[in-house]
Amino acid sequence: MLKLAYALLAFALWSVTAIAQNPPSTAPGTPSPPSAGCPTCGVVESIRHVEKKGEGSGVGAIAGGVLGGVLGHQIGSGRGNTAATIVGAGAGAYAGNEVERNSKKKSYYVVAVRLDDGRRQTVSQGARPGMREGDRVKIVGGNRLALIAN
């Protein structure tokens, strides 16, 4: 019986020293630490949708002004006709310029990534990204994002 007690005590001491020499790297249920070998890996901080109006070249304003002037000329007679033509041309030019600018607008998404080394980098994408805030990603080629499994 005494030999069994010594054997159990020896086994227990051996187990404790083995665990002390090789502690687990992370506690169970906690995410693994960021990889030091990936300088372009990080976490998505924010995703913003941006709409930038296009610039008018003047073609829309000219076309709108002519069309507005023609339509304004159809109204009234005499001085009223002249005034309607001028107002129609001005309103048409403004409307034509706005239509041209809206047709040339750009829409894109800006994704801000907090890299593992603490830097912040943004990536612009034309389509809605397939990730959410808090997801781990890798920036590929400086302008694309790849989702990394946790």
Side-chain angles (χ1 to χ4, degrees):
M1 184 73 160
L2 191 57
K3 287 183 181 183
L4 179 63
Y6 283 133
L8 287 174
L9 181 63
F11 179 73
L13 288 173
W14 175 80
S15 298
V16 169
T17 56
I19 291 172
Q21 289 175 356
N22 298 318
S25 60
T26 59
T30 59
S32 60
S35 170
C38 182
T40 60
C41 292
V43 177
V44 175
E45 274 191 337
S46 67
I47 300 172
R48 290 184 307 124
H49 181 254
V50 177
E51 280 192 9
K52 184 178 178 185
K53 262 194 173 177
E55 304 234 352
S57 64
V59 173
I62 292 171
V66 170
L67 184 61
V70 169
L71 291 175
H73 187 71
Q74 304 298 319
I75 299 172
S77 61
R79 287 187 184 178
N81 182 275
T82 304
T85 302
I86 292 169
V87 169
Y94 176 77
N97 189 46
E98 288 300 307
V99 167
E100 181 182 15
R101 289 178 67 194
N102 283 334
S103 70
K104 292 182 177 181
K105 76 179 174 185
K106 295 178 183 174
S107 178
Y108 55 95
Y109 291 86
V110 177
V111 182
V113 178
R114 177 66 61 187
L115 299 175
D116 292 342
D117 64 6
R119 292 181 299 134
R120 186 173 189 254
Q121 189 167 342
T122 59
V123 176
S124 298
Q125 295 186 325
R128 173 116 177 104
M131 58 214 48
R132 297 181 296 203
E133 291 179 11
D135 285 347
R136 282 207 39 86
V137 294
K138 178 176 184 173
I139 300 174
V140 181
N143 59 359
R144 291 183 304 137
L145 293 173
L147 194 59
I148 300 175
N150 285 336

